[in-house]
Amino acid sequence: MKNISIHYFAILREKRGESSESLQTECQTYRDLFIELDKSYNFDLPISIIQVAVNDEYSLLEREIVDGDKVVFIPPVAGG
């Protein structure tokens, strides 16, 4: 089990109902984690449009999760 902290923004924060949480996961990659979270919180966004930042740097969804990571899943944001 790995302990990580997740921060949510925009539509993901609205769907989750929280701006952040700490959790334990057995997921191997951030792609796996997003899929697991989507099942729990019904984000209803295709993973192909999601970006991820790990420890304040953009990363790949295929990156292996490391205990203590701080992650932000970034949905597309419309401006105007």
Side-chain angles (χ1 to χ4, degrees):
M1 289 293 243
K2 299 166 198 135
N3 296 300
I4 60 171
S5 62
I6 303 175
H7 297 269
Y8 299 101
F9 295 100
I11 189 71
L12 299 179
R13 181 178 59 217
E14 291 174 28
K15 292 275 190 170
R16 172 60 182 96
E18 300 285 338
S19 61
S20 65
E21 69 179 314
S22 296
L23 59 82
Q24 292 185 324
T25 183
E26 292 183 5
C27 292
Q28 296 299 308
T29 68
Y30 284 101
R31 176 178 298 280
D32 298 338
L33 178 62
F34 185 81
I35 291 168
E36 181 178 279
L37 293 170
D38 184 35
K39 289 177 186 173
S40 296
Y41 305 131
N42 193 30
F43 291 145
D44 202 27
L45 292 172
I47 197 163
S48 61
I49 64 171
I50 299 297
Q51 294 187 33
V52 65
V54 179
N55 302 324
D56 300 320
E57 293 185 8
Y58 280 100
S59 187
L60 299 174
L61 287 166
E62 289 76 20
R63 178 178 174 162
E64 186 173 325
I65 297 172
V66 175
D67 190 51
D69 276 350
K70 180 179 129 185
V71 62
V72 179
F73 288 109
I74 306 164
V77 180

